[in-house]
Amino acid sequence: MIKLTGLNNRELILNADHIEKVEAVPDSLITLTNGNKYIVLESTEEIINKVIEYKNRIFRIGL
């Protein structure tokens, strides 16, 4: 799970495993595998870094 900020400045927690794509339009638009879409304040680069950090935590726990 990754923490992001919605357009209303409220915290959003998304399952990073369900992210299908991230677009900059100009805010970041996240599309999940179920078709739900979320616009967040973080840049696409920040989202990518959060997903990488999340995946690294999971794989370290499994070792």
Side-chain angles (χ1 to χ4, degrees):
M1 306 290 269
I2 59 172
K3 291 182 184 180
L4 299 167
T5 310
L7 288 180
N8 58 2
N9 285 318
R10 294 189 66 168
E11 184 176 81
L12 243 167
I13 300 174
L14 291 180
N15 186 336
D17 293 325
H18 291 207
I19 294 175
E20 182 176 332
K21 66 181 176 178
V22 178
E23 302 171 78
V25 288
D27 295 312
S28 296
L29 174 65
I30 299 172
T31 304
L32 303 183
T33 55
N34 64 4
N36 290 350
K37 295 177 186 282
Y38 296 90
I39 298 175
V40 297
L41 298 178
E42 288 80 4
S43 69
T44 55
E45 192 65 32
E46 288 173 294
I47 296 166
I48 291 167
N49 289 336
K50 285 178 181 270
V51 170
I52 291 169
E53 182 181 311
Y54 165 74
K55 297 284 186 175
N56 283 336
R57 280 196 319 260
I58 288 177
F59 288 118
R60 265 189 249 130
I61 291 172
L63 294 177

